[in-house]
Amino acid sequence: MTTPATDHTPDYPPRTPPPPKRPLSPPRPDTAGEHEDVAEGRMPARSGRRGVGMVNRRGANWVLESAPWAAGKARTAIVGQLQKWGYRPAAGTVTALEAVVTLLVDAATTDPGTRITVHLSDQEGQACILTLSHSTSLTSGHENGGDDVLHRITAHPSVSGCGTDTGPDGRRTWAVLGL
């Protein structure tokens, strides 16, 4: 006598399909026209600020307490990381690098908040150092008080560029130095 098919259980689990080889990525944001506006000196109608991101270069970052000693810790970490990457800058360049890091970190620690982050990246013999204050109580836009810091940063001959902006995640200040 045969039993109905519903009474029989298989000896092995059912086969599941394999996962997709490449997951679908979300659509890229529409940034048409933003780069032309920035190149012409006009600000785009909507904010181009997307957070800190690096593509096709080495990078490192450190989270530090917003305290007076943070500049010394950041100087040591940045010089050590550049040495790990194989850079051996001259003594004058190291002095300028340390002075710029001190200015950037001191500017970030003056903002209200409990922490700051310091970001470092390199490309073609240049280093980009960025500090983020993580202070949400600041108003967005350019503040004239930041110009003094930028003037002191550009006083160093190895600095090829610097800037600052304020957004909902805090104030970003950065400098690009030749190594």
Side-chain angles (χ1 to χ4, degrees):
M1 187 158 152
T2 61
T3 61
T6 58
D7 292 342
H8 183 271
T9 58
D11 296 335
Y12 52 88
R15 183 171 180 193
T16 58
K21 293 189 179 197
R22 181 181 292 184
L24 295 175
S25 60
R28 302 192 103 185
D30 181 24
T31 59
E34 278 189 21
H35 300 293
E36 292 81 15
D37 290 342
V38 173
E40 294 174 11
R42 295 179 287 137
M43 292 304 294
R46 60 192 166 112
S47 174
R49 185 176 175 125
R50 293 189 188 103
V52 177
M54 292 180 282
V55 179
N56 299 331
R57 62 185 53 94
R58 295 179 287 197
N61 61 13
W62 300 269
V63 178
L64 302 172
E65 182 181 348
S66 182
W69 54 261
K73 186 137 176 120
R75 284 191 309 263
T76 304
I78 287 175
V79 171
Q81 186 64 49
L82 289 172
Q83 288 175 348
K84 285 180 187 175
W85 288 343
Y87 290 103
R88 302 292 183 251
T93 305
V94 171
T95 303
L97 176 74
E98 290 177 340
V100 168
V101 170
T102 301
L103 289 170
L104 292 170
V105 171
D106 286 347
T109 57
T110 59
D111 292 340
T114 58
R115 69 182 175 106
I116 65 167
T117 54
V118 179
H119 303 262
L120 170 69
S121 66
D122 75 322
Q123 183 178 12
E124 298 174 2
Q126 292 186 327
C128 178
I129 304 162
L130 178 138
T131 58
L132 181 60
S133 68
H134 296 284
S135 179
T136 58
S137 63
L138 300 172
T139 58
S140 295
H142 178 75
E143 292 184 16
N144 292 331
D147 289 342
D148 184 44
V149 172
L150 298 181
H151 289 301
R152 289 187 283 156
I153 289 171
T154 56
H156 297 281
S158 60
V159 174
S160 61
C162 65
T164 184
D165 71 340
T166 306
D169 56 346
R171 184 186 335 268
R172 287 194 303 188
T173 310
W174 67 92
V176 178
L177 295 93
L179 300 174

